[in-house]
Amino acid sequence: MRIWIFIFFMSLGIMANAQHVVSEGVAYEVKGKSIFKEGIDITHSLDKTQKDRILKTHRTKIRSEKRAERARKKQEKARKKAAKDLKRKQKAQNRYLKATKKLEQNELKYNRLKERGRLSPKDEEKWLKKLDRFKKDVEKRRKSL
């Protein structure tokens, strides 16, 4: 099966793992140390300077592709980190808002019950502990911002 695929691609002029290089207006395919033109190996028919020029162009192209890939990966990593930081900050903000809302609601409920005289001394003590817990939670969330 693999041989058939290789033969098929060779008939189309496509080389597996080959790099296309244009040197002096002529398109070549470089695979390892071999140079192909239109699917035909011309490595031995080229003189040393042409071969060196084509291989140098190939190396330069590979280096620039690697640099571009590294830059792209670095940029992608920075983008992901920024998105993660933003998400973390939004989450912290939401937690802070939720904690403050909970504190306000419980303070209102405590004040209503106190005004109506429906709190026994034990209940009032429980409510004050509960409110203190909510205040500590709000302070903790504020610090995490």
Side-chain angles (χ1 to χ4, degrees), residues 103-115:
L103 174 64
E104 289 172 3
Q105 287 174 343
N106 281 294
E107 282 178 337
L108 287 173
K109 190 172 183 181
Y110 168 74
N111 290 332
R112 260 190 316 228
L113 291 172
K114 190 176 178 182
E115 286 173 4

Side-chain angles (χ1 to χ4, degrees), residues 93-137:
Q93 179 70 25
N94 288 339
R95 286 179 180 160
Y96 174 74
L97 293 174
K98 188 176 179 181
T100 55
K101 184 178 178 182
K102 206 171 193 181
L103 174 64
E104 289 172 3
Q105 287 174 343
N106 281 294
E107 282 178 337
L108 287 173
K109 190 172 183 181
Y110 168 74
N111 290 332
R112 260 190 316 228
L113 291 172
K114 190 176 178 182
E115 286 173 4
R116 293 181 185 163
R118 295 187 179 169
L119 288 177
S120 67
K122 263 188 175 177
D123 287 341
E124 190 168 344
E125 191 177 312
K126 286 180 183 177
W127 270 99
L128 290 174
K129 284 182 180 177
K130 189 177 183 180
L131 290 176
D132 189 46
R133 222 177 33 244
F134 285 129
K135 286 177 185 176
K136 286 180 182 176
D137 188 42

